[in-house]
Amino acid sequence: MTSPVGLGIVGCGVIGTCHVRSAAGLNCARVEAVLDLNLKRAHALASAWNVPRVCADIGELLALDEVEAVILAIPPVNRLPLAERILAAGRHLLLEKPTALHAGEVRRILAGKTSGTVVAGCSARFRCVPTFPAIRQILAEEALGELHSISFQALVQTPPRPDVPPPAWRLQSRLNGGGILMNWGSYDFDYLWGLWPDVLMPRTVKAHMRSLSPDLTDFVAPDSDGETHVCAWIECTNGVPIAYERGEYLPGPHRSALRITGDKGSLELHMAPTRGASDVLWRTHPAFGQVRTLIQKHPDQPPDLHSGVMADFCRAIRTGSPPATDLHRAFRIQATLDACYRSAASGQSERVAHILGNGQALYTDENGGKLRK
């Protein structure tokens, strides 16, 4: 890095504060300005972390020459028009998760992107942690043989009744496009699609969703309508099925399990760095039946999830290389989310969109030919 990237951060809530704090610990980034509709909150954040400027609107932020890149740390309902203005001003852009309300908005963002501008998504957080490279290496070495199936499960039990409800956007479709699937599915699919360069290309989805139990409505913000439990069966273009389940506010204990199975072995791993957890490779052996190999133990102190994705964004800006999640990957993630919601509404299997837009094929079909409209 020749010099730190000058950042402007839009949104001074919980996640915006995380970005400011992470940037303070990185040599590659420097926060030059913050912006929030709540000026009192913006001034408090700037004062706490020595940010030199507080801006009243996006025009004032983009008028600052020292702001090379902008992080949009706001709910997606208000993100698209700001993203278009930021790109029109020639600035690089880091988008919080989910990238957009739907795949059509990703196409709009692509249309506003100019050559040399980096647009990245924060959904790559769990691929920008120290435990990911070892997993990627095992899969690159084809230690599992021919890929057969993937099983993903992440369930969170009902917490005690909170004194302060969580932010309204967490379970409001109007603000965030949905509930648990938009909040966490964007991470999950980013991780799964990123385990290999081009192996997992979702083709069809069959999904079921359930909303919060009526007994728990006072645990969340009023008018929360987003789903809290999702089960989906995803078929990929190479024939590999994915059994996917994600839920919160559920009866029963916490459960987190990710298993990738091939004809020669299987990998049990954890997407999120988890204290006391281990990632394990199981392989068949002609004499012993199976052999267990410890790939890695997770550190006692989990990493700052925000630092890795910010450092990756800055690296992409300074080197001209793609970020961990560019618009092509963001579209694949968002198109899968969209298909899940359509399937839950229709009760039928739904196809995942394959075309990003502007004549660019997102990926190829089973025969290697470009998919077209």
Side-chain angles (χ1 to χ4, degrees):
M1 299 293 291
T2 57
S3 61
V5 175
L7 300 173
I9 296 180
V10 179
C12 297
V14 173
I15 199 65
T17 300
C18 291
H19 283 299
V20 173
R21 182 177 63 241
S22 295
L26 294 172
N27 294 327
C28 61
R30 181 178 61 242
V31 180
E32 298 287 358
V34 293
L35 166 62
D36 196 281
L37 292 176
N38 186 331
L39 282 175
K40 182 178 179 181
R41 181 166 64 181
H43 279 286
L45 181 60
S47 176
W49 292 95
N50 298 316
V51 178
R53 294 289 295 271
V54 173
C55 297
D57 57 50
I58 191 66
E60 182 181 349
L61 181 76
L62 295 176
L64 299 174
D65 291 337
E66 58 268 34
V67 173
E68 302 174 67
V70 179
I71 300 175
L72 284 181
I74 56 175
V77 64
N78 298 318
R79 203 177 292 159
L80 179 61
L82 292 178
E84 291 177 323
R85 287 194 63 181
I86 292 163
L87 293 175
R91 301 309 207 276
H92 307 287
L93 178 61
L94 179 61
L95 295 156
E96 260 302 335
K97 60 83 189 174
T99 302
L101 287 175
H102 50 77
E105 290 192 347
V106 181
R107 290 191 177 99
R108 288 270 301 272
I109 295 170
L110 173 71
K113 181 184 179 301
T114 57
S115 177
T117 303
V118 174
V119 182
C122 285
S123 57
R125 280 190 171 98
F126 293 96
R127 291 191 293 116
C128 295
V129 296
T131 53
F132 183 74
I135 299 302
R136 184 72 180 269
Q137 181 64 30
I138 289 293
L139 296 173
E141 294 171 354
E142 300 183 351
L144 307 187
E146 181 182 350
L147 186 60
H148 280 185
S149 66
I150 297 175
S151 175
F152 183 102
Q153 188 179 54
L155 306 177
V156 179
Q157 66 190 39
T158 304
R161 179 178 282 102
D163 295 328
V164 179
W169 56 263
R170 287 197 78 255
L171 284 175
Q172 284 197 8
S173 301
R174 178 181 64 84
L175 299 178
N176 205 45
I180 186 68
L181 185 63
M182 290 294 267
N183 293 334
W184 277 96
S186 53
Y187 287 139
D188 302 337
F189 294 146
D190 192 308
Y191 191 88
L192 291 173
W193 306 157
L195 286 168
W196 301 269
D198 293 305
V199 170
L200 294 179
M201 301 175 184
R203 178 172 54 191
T204 60
V205 170
K206 183 69 164 64
H208 298 272
M209 299 182 186
R210 296 291 182 270
S211 298
L212 190 69
S213 165
D215 297 336
L216 302 175
T217 54
D218 58 342
F219 281 48
V220 298
D223 301 322
S224 294
D225 64 342
E227 73 289 343
T228 56
H229 190 195
V230 179
C231 294
W233 182 262
I234 303 170
E235 292 277 358
C236 297
T237 57
N238 59 357
V240 174
I242 302 173
Y244 175 85
E245 184 180 16
R246 167 71 79 168
E248 61 182 349
Y249 297 102
L250 298 177
H254 288 266
R255 186 177 299 277
S256 177
L258 173 53
R259 184 182 183 97
I260 304 172
T261 303
D263 64 341
K264 295 181 180 178
S266 64
L267 186 61
E268 294 180 338
L269 64 147
H270 299 264
M271 181 182 79
T274 305
R275 181 178 181 179
S278 299
D279 299 326
V280 176
L281 173 66
W282 297 89
R283 283 186 285 191
T284 56
H285 189 279
F288 306 110
Q290 62 180 1
V291 176
R292 179 185 186 273
T293 303
L294 175 66
I295 301 303
Q296 61 188 343
K297 295 187 68 174
H298 287 228
D300 289 339
Q301 293 294 336
D304 177 3
L305 290 173
H306 312 286
S307 296
V309 75
M310 183 180 292
D312 174 78
F313 179 53
C314 294
R315 173 199 54 79
I317 292 171
R318 287 290 181 258
T319 65
S321 55
T325 293
D326 59 10
L327 286 176
H328 288 266
R329 189 179 299 277
F331 181 85
R332 189 190 304 186
I333 296 163
Q334 195 63 53
T336 309
L337 295 172
D338 291 355
C340 286
Y341 283 106
R342 291 197 309 271
S343 176
S346 69
Q348 305 295 322
S349 292
E350 296 284 342
R351 290 189 64 84
V352 178
H354 291 82
I355 302 299
L356 176 53
N358 288 2
Q360 300 184 49
L362 178 61
Y363 36 79
T364 58
D365 62 18
E366 298 92 325
N367 299 317
K370 287 186 177 180
L371 294 165
R372 302 188 182 277
K373 291 183 181 180

